[in-house]
Amino acid sequence: MAAYVRSVVCLVSRERPAFLTGGSGVIVASKRYVRGLRRKPVKVLFPDVETDTAVKTRPQSRTPEQHVKRGRKEEAKVPSAAEHLAESGSVKARSNEQPAMKHAHLSFAKDQVDGLRFERAFPGDKRLGRLVSIARSRTFREHQGKILVEGRRLICDALDAGANPQMVFFSTADRLRELPLDKLRRATLVKVKFEDIKLWSDLVAPQGVIAIFSRPDPSRLKFANTSHTVPLSLICDNVRDPGNLGTMLRCAAAAGCHNVLLTKGCVDAWEPKVLRAAMGAHFRLPIYPSLSWEDIENHLPKPVTVHVADSSCGPDRSRETEDLQVNVSHKPSKAGDYGWVSTRHSRNNMHHEEYDSDSDSYSDCEDERLSLPRVDTKLYHESWAQSPTALVIGGETHGLSLEAVQLAEETAGHRLFIPVVPDVDSLNSAMAASILLFEGRKQLLKLIQTSGRKWKSKAQGQFS
């Protein structure tokens, strides 16, 4: 009995009661650890076959000393609120970083087409609209040296000719695969939505691919089918309609012209409308734009015969036109008498002739003082292409310049006309150019066949 009492007193002395103040008295709460000292955790034996029911182990009861030590350890481990937020933020960042890295790796692997990397236009990306609007500006094309080419066929023609691509926008990978990928390794490829291409395209049915090229130098391009060319040049004088100019370029390429020369009054040859109307003619023969008449003479061989297209002469015209043609050799005529000849004359290299004092007014006298060069007329199907030849086509609005007629006079050229039925004003300038170019090709080929290849090689040497 004495031993039992001593054990109880020892346990009571070891207890550390917690005092709770409530109301007017003090309550002493003690814990009993007698059973806890003698209790052992129950061992749980799991069966060989796992079941869906989870078996929970009963927590092991601890001594008071173990409780005190555990409390101190937990106090040391509890971080502050700021540390907890920082740690949770870093955990979230790490958790988000791993999927992002995986997604970036997957997108890098996917953003390739046959080994060529491309970029994806992010939402609100304005590169396509900015480049397209800038490339449509003639000032930008001339100063920055960039052109816009749209459609698979035109882009392929440009790449085959050796043009330098800078940026290609495409809607799908299949559209990109339609192009020669080996020639796009130095270009920046950007995948955009088809809706964006449709928004900035000039076509009714866009093909889903637009390319920005460096402005090509005609002397550095590689043209195919040069063996089929004839010593025939086309000079476009004041052609300001994009459709007409594009059609003329297409006809010149089809007729095998050696080159095309454009005066400063013409529309830009690299305008998108001209490119579409020409159907790839820009990359089949050299085109020299914005030339003065001195530069045009430097691009022509010597000797060369320059002919001009004229619509106001011929036996089938009206009586008024015939009278003008009869009087042209007897008195000075105005520029309008030459059909597609501009009445706005240049002050360079002009010939003047004094008039009588009975002129109606000073302005009329000043216009009629201009004496046009004397150039004989000839039907288009008559023999006129018997040597290296150049054909001048004027625009329908302003017509031929006086420099063109003077150049025809200096080279012993002719005014070529195409007879039409009465009461018809004239043919479209592009249509007249096609008729005259193919007639000139026919005459030159016939001359080559009769004279042999020796004359052809000599003529090509003069044009080169």
Side-chain angles (χ1 to χ4, degrees):
M1 184 68 181
Y4 179 76
V5 172
R6 284 195 300 270
S7 63
V8 171
V9 172
C10 182
L11 288 174
V12 171
S13 62
R14 292 180 180 178
E15 284 185 339
R16 295 184 179 182
F19 293 89
L20 303 176
T21 60
S24 59
V26 178
I27 302 174
V28 179
S30 62
K31 297 182 180 179
R32 297 179 180 179
Y33 296 101
V34 178
R35 292 183 181 179
L37 292 174
R38 298 179 181 179
R39 187 175 299 164
K40 295 182 179 180
V42 178
K43 293 184 179 181
V44 180
L45 301 177
F46 293 96
D48 296 337
V49 181
E50 295 183 356
T51 59
D52 296 336
T53 305
V55 181
K56 298 181 180 179
T57 60
R58 190 172 182 179
Q60 182 180 1
S61 48
R62 298 178 179 83
T63 61
E65 293 81 358
Q66 291 175 344
H67 274 281
V68 173
K69 293 180 180 179
R70 184 188 178 195
R72 291 177 180 176
K73 291 181 180 180
E74 289 178 353
E75 289 178 1
K77 290 182 179 179
V78 173
S80 62
E83 293 177 353
H84 178 71
L85 292 175
E87 184 178 359
S88 61
S90 62
V91 171
K92 290 181 180 179
R94 287 195 298 271
S95 62
N96 294 333
E97 182 180 0
Q98 292 179 356
M101 292 176 64
K102 292 181 180 179
H103 179 71
H105 178 71
L106 293 175
S107 63
F108 176 77
K110 290 182 180 180
D111 292 349
Q112 291 187 1
V113 175
D114 298 341
L116 287 182
R117 293 178 55 187
F118 64 86
E119 304 175 5
R120 293 179 181 269
F122 52 85
D125 195 341
K126 298 182 180 179
R127 283 182 294 178
L128 174 61
R130 182 169 60 254
L131 286 178
V132 169
S133 59
I134 290 176
R136 288 175 180 171
S137 172
R138 179 171 184 172
T139 303
F140 179 83
R141 287 194 299 267
E142 293 178 351
H143 291 173
Q144 301 296 328
K146 292 184 180 181
I147 63 171
L148 172 69
V149 180
E150 183 176 359
R152 179 190 62 83
R153 181 174 178 179
L154 286 179
I155 295 176
C156 290
D157 291 342
L159 294 174
D160 293 339
N164 182 24
Q166 293 186 357
M167 188 170 291
V168 179
F169 299 93
F170 63 97
S171 59
T172 61
D174 293 335
R175 291 297 184 186
L176 186 63
R177 289 191 180 96
E178 294 177 352
L179 306 177
L181 299 180
D182 56 332
K183 299 179 181 179
L184 297 176
R185 299 192 179 278
R186 295 185 179 181
T188 302
L189 308 180
V190 183
K191 184 177 181 181
V192 298
K193 294 182 179 180
F194 181 77
E195 290 76 9
D196 296 336
I197 293 181
K198 188 175 181 180
L199 177 64
W200 292 102
S201 174
D202 289 336
L203 302 179
V204 179
Q207 300 182 17
V209 58
I210 299 177
I212 305 295
F213 282 83
S214 301
R215 190 180 180 94
D217 185 358
S219 61
R220 296 183 179 181
L221 293 180
K222 301 176 183 178
F223 303 107
N225 299 326
T226 54
S227 58
H228 298 281
T229 59
V230 293
L232 178 63
S233 295
L234 174 63
I235 303 175
C236 297
D237 185 17
N238 289 323
V239 179
R240 303 187 180 183
D241 184 79
N244 284 342
L245 181 59
T247 305
M248 291 181 189
L249 298 178
R250 185 176 181 181
C251 294
C257 289
H258 184 268
N259 56 13
V260 177
L261 310 177
L262 308 179
T263 64
K264 290 184 178 180
C266 292
V267 66
D268 186 19
W270 298 106
E271 186 175 329
K273 293 181 180 180
V274 180
L275 281 167
R276 290 196 302 271
M279 293 296 292
H282 293 74
F283 310 106
R284 291 185 174 88
L285 80 168
I287 301 172
Y288 298 94
S290 301
L291 299 177
S292 62
W293 283 102
E294 290 76 8
D295 296 333
I296 287 177
E297 293 182 11
N298 295 331
H299 283 83
L300 295 176
K302 294 183 180 180
V304 67
T305 305
V306 179
H307 304 278
V308 295
D310 192 359
S311 64
S312 66
C313 57
D316 296 331
R317 303 303 295 175
S318 62
R319 184 64 184 174
E320 180 182 358
T321 307
E322 291 177 0
D323 293 339
L324 288 173
Q325 298 304 321
V326 172
N327 296 331
V328 73
S329 59
H330 299 287
K331 66 178 181 179
S333 57
K334 292 183 293 185
D337 298 340
Y338 271 80
W340 289 332
V341 181
S342 174
T343 57
R344 298 180 180 180
H345 54 274
S346 174
R347 296 188 178 274
N348 298 329
N349 300 326
M350 288 182 5
H351 302 282
H352 297 277
E353 182 176 341
E354 296 296 335
Y355 269 68
D356 297 335
S357 58
D358 57 350
S359 300
D360 295 336
S361 63
Y362 178 79
S363 59
D364 293 339
C365 178
E366 185 178 6
D367 278 340
E368 295 185 358
R369 284 171 58 188
L370 178 62
S371 177
L372 288 177
R374 301 297 184 264
V375 180
D376 296 333
T377 61
K378 182 173 287 191
L379 285 169
Y380 79 101
H381 55 77
E382 295 180 353
S383 177
W384 52 271
Q386 301 299 316
S387 62
T389 306
L391 177 65
V392 184
I393 302 293
E396 298 181 4
T397 304
H398 297 279
L400 291 170
S401 61
L402 296 177
E403 291 83 356
V405 184
Q406 290 173 358
L407 186 59
E409 181 190 33
E410 294 173 0
T411 59
H414 296 84
R415 293 189 297 157
L416 305 177
F417 68 94
I418 303 171
V420 295
V421 298
D423 299 330
V424 175
D425 184 19
S426 65
L427 292 176
N428 176 269
S429 59
M431 183 63 66
S434 63
I435 295 174
L436 294 173
L437 287 176
F438 278 97
E439 178 62 28
R441 175 180 175 81
K442 183 186 73 171
Q443 295 182 12
L444 289 173
L445 289 178
K446 185 177 179 180
L447 183 64
I448 292 172
Q449 292 176 358
T450 56
S451 302
R453 297 183 178 179
K454 184 177 180 180
W455 182 89
K456 181 181 179 181
S457 60
K458 181 179 179 181
Q460 289 181 348
Q462 292 175 349
F463 267 86
S464 60

